[in-house]
Every structure is written in C-alpha cells, then in structure tokens.
Amino acid sequence: MITVDTPTVYQVTITDENGCSGIASWTIAEEVGYKLFTPNAFSPNLDGVNDYFYFFSDRRSIEQIVQLQVFDRWGGLVFSNANFDPDIAKEGWDGTRSGKLATAGIYVWSAVVELVNGEQVQLQGDVLLLGGE
C-alpha cells in the first residue's frame, strides 16, 4: 500500500523464474469530485416536507457552503447566508422576504461551495417557490 501526496507515475517491473520481465506503469492522481443536490422547487407551507431551499451533500466531499444568495427576477437580494454546513434545512432559505412569505415564482440562486480539499466551486441555478404569497 502506498500513499500519494502528488500526482506521480509509478512503474513496476516483474521478473519470473525463467528470467522473463514485464513492466507496467500507472499514473496515480487525486480525483477531485463532489456530490451536491440542489432542489429545483420547494413549498414553505410548514408541513415538514420541502419547507426550505437548501443543499444536500454526500457528507464527505463538501466542507461548507461559503455563501448562498437568492435573488428575485429583478435581481433584488431576497436571502443570504454564509459559512454553514450543507444538509441543514434551517440554514437555507425559508421562502420569506423581509419576514413575510415571498411571492410564488422562480428565484435565481448563486453559491460558493468549499470542497474538502479546499477548492471552491461557484454554482448557480434557479428554484421555484410554490405556494407563496
């Protein structure tokens, strides 16, 4: 077993009892990837199902949500949160704007996500608020 800290080419030479040799080479590098699910709709009607817009992760590849912002169709900031863990509903948007339920419709979101390796990924999308004002 070996531990790889940087991408490296490893070469192995094997010789059998008859003196025949074989050589094999492999490049071993860290694979960077992440698993994050962002819903495209939610319904903040307090029924305990899909009441918040938040991110779901595999709980291994995501270190934190550095920033999450939600905007209305005119570009007005509706929600913002920073430096929180994924998978926590109450850290996400509850569908309100200035303390009142926001108007039903499509909202645009932007996020910066930090992976466990320190890399930051910029994401964006939209979400449908169902049952709003």
Side-chain angles (χ1 to χ4, degrees):
M1 176 184 251
I2 60 170
T3 302
V4 177
D5 294 327
T6 59
T8 307
V9 176
Y10 288 90
Q11 183 172 318
V12 176
T13 303
I14 299 175
T15 305
D16 69 12
E17 64 273 358
N18 298 319
C20 296
S21 297
I23 297 175
S25 296
W26 296 272
T27 301
I28 299 178
E30 176 183 22
E31 182 177 315
V32 177
Y34 62 93
K35 292 184 181 177
L36 189 69
F37 170 71
T38 55
N40 59 5
F42 75 115
S43 58
N45 58 5
L46 303 177
D47 67 353
V49 179
N50 297 323
D51 288 332
Y52 292 86
F53 170 69
Y54 66 105
F55 295 166
F56 301 84
S57 76
D58 63 0
R59 299 180 189 238
R60 290 182 312 215
S61 60
I62 307 297
E63 183 67 30
Q64 70 171 332
I65 309 300
V66 176
Q67 184 173 47
L68 171 61
Q69 295 180 312
V70 179
F71 302 91
D72 64 21
R73 65 176 134 180
W74 297 281
L77 183 64
V78 175
F79 172 81
S80 182
N81 195 4
N83 302 315
F84 61 95
D85 292 332
D87 304 302
I88 301 173
K90 293 192 179 201
E91 293 286 356
W93 182 36
D94 65 359
T96 62
R97 180 178 196 162
S98 301
K100 293 184 172 182
L101 189 57
T103 304
I106 296 178
Y107 292 79
V108 175
W109 59 266
S110 174
V112 177
V113 175
E114 182 179 342
L115 307 181
V116 294
N117 68 358
E119 180 184 350
Q120 291 192 353
V121 179
Q122 175 80 40
L123 304 169
Q124 59 190 16
D126 56 64
V127 62
L128 174 61
L129 170 63
L130 298 166
E133 182 179 285

